[in-house]
Amino acid sequence: MSPVPPRTRRRGLPSTPARTARKLGEIRRAQLITTYGVGAMIAVENESFLVRGIDSWDISEAPFISEPRLAWQLGVSGFRLPPAPDPDKARDGVRAVRFPEMYSCPHCHQLQPFRKFNSPAGRAECSTCQESLVPSRFVIACTHGHLEDFPYWKWVHRGNRTTSGACGGQLTFRADGSTASLRAVLIGCSCGVEEVSMEGSFRRQALKDLGIRCAGRRPWLKDAPAESCQEPPRTLQRGSSSVWFPVMYSALSIPPWSQGIAKLVAPYYEIFKHEDADSVKAYVRMQKLLRHRPEYTGDDVVAEVERRRAAEAAALEPADGTEIAKRARNHRQEIYEGEYQSLSTPHPEVADQDQEFVCEPTTTPIDALRSSHGLAQVMLVKRLREVRALQSFRRVEEPSPADSPLREAAITLAKPSWLPAFEVSGEGVFVRLDPERLRVWEREPGQVARAARIRENHERLLSARIGDSDKPVPPSPATPRFLLLHALAHILINEWSLDGGYPAASLRERIYGEGDMAGVLVYTATSDSAGSLGGVVAQGEPARLEASLRAALHRASWCSNDPLCMESEASGADSLNVAACHACLLLPETSCENNNILLDRAALVGTPDGRVPGFFTR
């Protein structure tokens, strides 16, 4: 056997000295909530890492975000902006762990754990070939959120061995390039077994047929013990969107929480909540917190602190998973009802106050819109603040209201007292429909039947997600009213992306269609240049809104996929749409709060034969 050649170094790439924490790269704070949150894989050059749990983050420099209504819904005391530490003040911020552990060399085709390649410090390189390593393309995960490396040894030795590594051979990974399918990805072993392609590894029963069970591993949580899990694992591509689905919640900052004494106390609540009344008053006096707000006193501050303490204690009261889910649904309903009331009530701008929510009626009457389109109210939301928080995540299957607590992949080992979140500012237009005209329309038999078809499919899906659990099936929101409001929001976003110059992905919807609510908020809330520039508010002026509605409804009256689109019995994922497709109603995923389901274009314009009238048919 020839000796192993000496390790060489590429020119201009000196070795990286060993450090306690290696800096891997940089991402935006918002991405740690939406794209690369806890448990998600992130590619850094030719390496792959898994973002670790929030209990390993250094939050010493992370700003505190106050949004009590959302905090009570999620059962935490508050939120933190993901850390972006100054190197001079903090050693590191968000931590990551290498995953997957299996890497391959494109030159010698060795497939083995990364540590066995003996790579130079800070680099992923084969010590024999000096070639950059490639992280494994395949992982396995289950619907309970567990994640581990693909069992290559068991896959190539199926039917030959029962104990992992018993042959003592070296695995190989190569792609022959003959096709772009999995048939061209070949796994071999130096023990002499025949090479096996990855074809068939993505079948639902592929791993189960080999006797491979979920090991219950959670590599994103440091020192997390393996859990007992009976869910069958599934093979996934490392970069697939099915590997990580964030479970996010959001709330708008509305009065009284966005102004007055509540806004004044919010930045200091973490200091005040553990102090008695005298200490709070002393702090207020020494820091002169009220020197610009003479209308308030130290007693007002103490009263606000006590109010927050009581609400926080109720939200953090111990409960089982079912009770927590029930509380979350009730709080979500309260959040939307509170926002609906605030959006329906004028909150004019005050010159000498720092307001986070400004909502005013249009400067001209909306009589024409009321008579022609059935709009009861149009409000211009000139300023709004939204907080979006990451509560957990899912794998394999996208989140559903029917998910059991076992499907929630935790972002920390213990129950968290805070959650990562970010805040954005924006503007929008709130539209409320005429309740009397809406009540008459939503009783139309044709529209009731179309909504019932979607609701049955949705409830069947929710029931299947619950399985054998004792958890009750949550009701589907698929009512004629909700379908109408949802479709209205989509056509407005599509129209304003053409007329207002905004990309559709920068506009978002918020549907208020439960109970007696009947409104839609279309807004922009981003951290980039498509934020609060006044363009969306300008679309809400009556003359321009009427023109936009007429154009949007005319565009919705005929789809390029008609008559198939309009006459379809069901469409979309899991048959949760009727007349809705990418040519007419569907939006970018970032714009729709319902993942582009529960849509029906006929709710707006009716069917061509006139049997099902649309709300705007007249």
Side-chain angles (χ1 to χ4, degrees):
M1 177 182 292
S2 59
V4 176
R7 179 185 296 163
T8 60
R9 305 285 189 195
R10 290 193 181 94
R11 292 182 179 179
L13 292 175
S15 60
T16 303
R19 293 182 297 182
T20 304
R22 170 191 168 199
K23 182 178 179 180
L24 300 176
E26 297 178 353
I27 59 176
R28 297 192 305 274
R29 278 173 158 169
Q31 288 181 303
L32 281 167
I33 310 296
T34 59
T35 310
Y36 302 120
V38 174
M41 276 179 280
I42 177 173
V44 180
E45 296 181 351
N46 65 316
E47 301 176 80
S48 177
F49 297 90
L50 197 65
V51 179
R52 272 204 161 151
I54 61 174
D55 46 6
S56 68
W57 292 11
D58 180 2
I59 59 172
S60 58
E61 301 294 323
F64 183 81
I65 297 178
S66 175
E67 183 49 57
R69 296 164 60 247
L70 185 59
W72 300 335
Q73 177 191 355
L74 301 179
V76 295
S77 60
F79 307 100
R80 292 272 188 173
L81 198 64
D86 186 332
D88 297 331
K89 296 182 180 179
R91 182 168 55 86
D92 57 14
V94 176
R95 295 225 170 164
V97 61
R98 186 180 299 280
F99 190 87
E101 296 181 3
M102 298 295 287
Y103 277 66
S104 63
C105 174
H107 186 264
C108 65
H109 304 300
Q110 290 187 83
L111 174 65
Q112 59 188 1
F114 176 82
R115 63 181 182 278
K116 292 188 177 181
F117 281 102
N118 194 24
S119 298
R123 306 228 312 266
E125 184 179 276
C126 178
S127 59
T128 303
C129 310
Q130 285 79 50
E131 289 289 336
S132 295
L133 298 176
V134 179
S136 169
R137 288 170 51 185
F138 309 101
V139 297
I140 63 174
C142 77
T143 55
H144 287 180
H146 302 127
L147 183 70
E148 52 189 308
D149 279 272
F150 183 85
Y152 289 104
W153 195 94
K154 291 183 178 180
W155 181 254
V156 72
H157 290 89
R158 57 182 185 265
N160 298 307
R161 297 285 192 275
T162 57
T163 305
S164 179
C167 69
Q170 171 65 55
L171 292 177
T172 59
F173 180 101
R174 68 183 183 90
D176 62 14
S178 58
T179 67
S181 68
L182 294 174
R183 188 179 301 175
V185 179
L186 304 174
I187 312 299
C189 183
S190 61
C191 70
V193 298
E194 185 179 356
E195 279 189 326
V196 176
S197 75
M198 290 295 294
E199 187 177 24
S201 60
F202 283 76
R203 290 187 297 107
R204 283 183 175 271
Q205 300 296 321
L207 300 179
K208 184 177 180 180
D209 293 343
L210 294 180
I212 298 172
R213 301 291 183 263
C214 178
R217 294 174 183 168
R218 297 173 291 173
W220 66 95
L221 297 178
K222 185 178 181 181
D223 301 327
E227 295 181 319
S228 175
C229 182
Q230 303 302 319
E231 288 293 300
R234 294 277 304 276
T235 304
L236 300 173
Q237 292 266 18
R238 173 170 54 88
S240 168
S241 61
S242 299
V243 173
W244 191 78
F245 292 105
V247 178
M248 296 172 54
Y249 294 87
S250 69
L252 303 181
S253 296
I254 59 173
W257 305 103
S258 63
Q259 62 188 25
I261 190 66
K263 181 174 174 61
L264 182 67
V265 170
Y268 304 97
Y269 177 67
E270 286 297 299
I271 301 173
F272 292 160
K273 72 176 182 178
H274 299 298
E275 303 293 338
D276 57 24
D278 293 335
S279 299
V280 171
K281 291 179 183 179
Y283 186 92
V284 171
R285 186 173 58 256
M286 288 187 296
Q287 297 296 325
K288 300 180 179 179
L289 298 184
L290 303 178
R291 66 179 181 273
H292 298 303
R293 306 300 298 270
E295 66 272 24
Y296 299 118
T297 65
D299 291 330
D300 295 328
V301 175
V302 171
E304 176 62 22
V305 172
E306 292 294 338
R307 184 163 70 101
R308 289 195 177 219
R309 280 177 182 164
E312 184 179 310
L316 298 178
E317 184 179 346
D320 59 17
T322 303
E323 180 64 23
I324 290 175
K326 182 179 179 181
R327 287 183 192 173
R329 287 195 300 272
N330 292 338
H331 279 299
R332 182 185 182 277
Q333 180 70 10
E334 293 175 5
I335 284 177
Y336 272 61
E337 288 177 352
E339 292 175 2
Y340 184 76
Q341 294 299 325
S342 293
L343 290 166
S344 303
T345 307
H347 292 85
E349 187 169 8
V350 181
D352 59 344
Q353 292 187 11
D354 181 18
Q355 297 170 276
E356 294 176 343
F357 184 82
V358 176
C359 181
E360 300 176 349
T362 57
T363 55
T364 57
I366 62 167
D367 297 339
L369 285 168
R370 182 177 289 108
S371 60
S372 62
H373 292 88
L375 303 190
Q377 188 179 34
V378 177
M379 300 293 284
L380 307 180
V381 187
K382 298 183 177 180
R383 191 176 303 159
L384 62 82
R385 169 182 175 262
E386 183 187 20
V387 175
R388 303 173 192 165
L390 176 67
Q391 187 260 347
S392 60
F393 63 90
R394 307 284 192 274
R395 300 198 194 277
V396 182
E397 296 176 346
E398 63 181 6
S400 166
D403 283 340
S404 71
L406 292 175
R407 292 183 186 267
E408 296 182 4
I411 61 176
T412 181
L413 267 178
K415 185 180 184 300
S417 60
W418 63 276
L419 291 174
F422 69 104
E423 55 185 351
V424 289
S425 300
E427 57 175 350
V429 175
F430 174 72
V431 174
R432 186 166 63 88
L433 299 184
D434 182 357
E436 294 300 326
R437 178 170 168 178
L438 182 59
R439 288 191 192 97
V440 173
W441 171 83
E442 63 186 354
R443 296 192 188 102
E444 291 287 343
Q447 192 58 51
V448 170
R450 293 176 73 92
R453 194 185 313 155
I454 298 179
R455 185 167 57 255
E456 289 172 3
N457 293 338
H458 195 201
E459 290 179 346
R460 189 181 304 115
L461 177 65
L462 295 175
S463 179
R465 290 291 291 268
I466 289 179
D468 299 330
S469 172
D470 295 333
K471 180 181 177 182
V473 180
S476 171
T479 62
R481 175 177 301 209
F482 187 90
L483 298 181
L484 168 64
L485 294 170
H486 196 191
L488 175 61
H490 278 229
I491 65 169
L492 285 177
I493 289 176
N494 278 327
E495 190 65 26
W496 289 350
S497 68
L498 299 173
D499 292 346
Y502 287 88
S506 70
L507 297 174
R508 291 169 62 89
E509 67 176 9
R510 211 161 175 87
I511 310 299
Y512 303 94
E514 298 183 13
D516 294 331
M517 296 186 291
V520 168
L521 173 65
V522 175
Y523 66 105
T524 173
T526 62
S527 55
D528 61 9
S529 58
S532 304
L533 301 178
V536 173
V537 169
Q539 300 297 323
E541 290 296 339
R544 185 169 294 179
L545 179 59
E546 184 178 11
S548 295
L549 270 174
R550 289 188 183 278
L553 292 171
H554 176 72
R555 203 183 304 275
S557 64
W558 181 258
C559 170
S560 59
N561 287 328
D562 277 345
L564 295 179
C565 179
M566 181 62 77
E567 294 178 358
S568 65
E569 294 292 321
S571 65
D574 300 305
S575 300
L576 297 181
N577 291 331
V578 184
C581 68
H582 286 282
C584 54
L585 281 189
L586 301 192
L587 291 175
E589 291 183 1
T590 56
S591 299
C592 180
E593 65 175 356
N594 295 283
N595 296 323
N596 276 326
I597 63 172
L598 310 182
L599 288 164
D600 183 12
R601 185 161 46 94
L604 298 169
V605 296
T607 54
D609 57 11
R611 295 180 181 178
V612 180
F615 181 81
F616 298 101
T617 299
R618 290 187 299 175

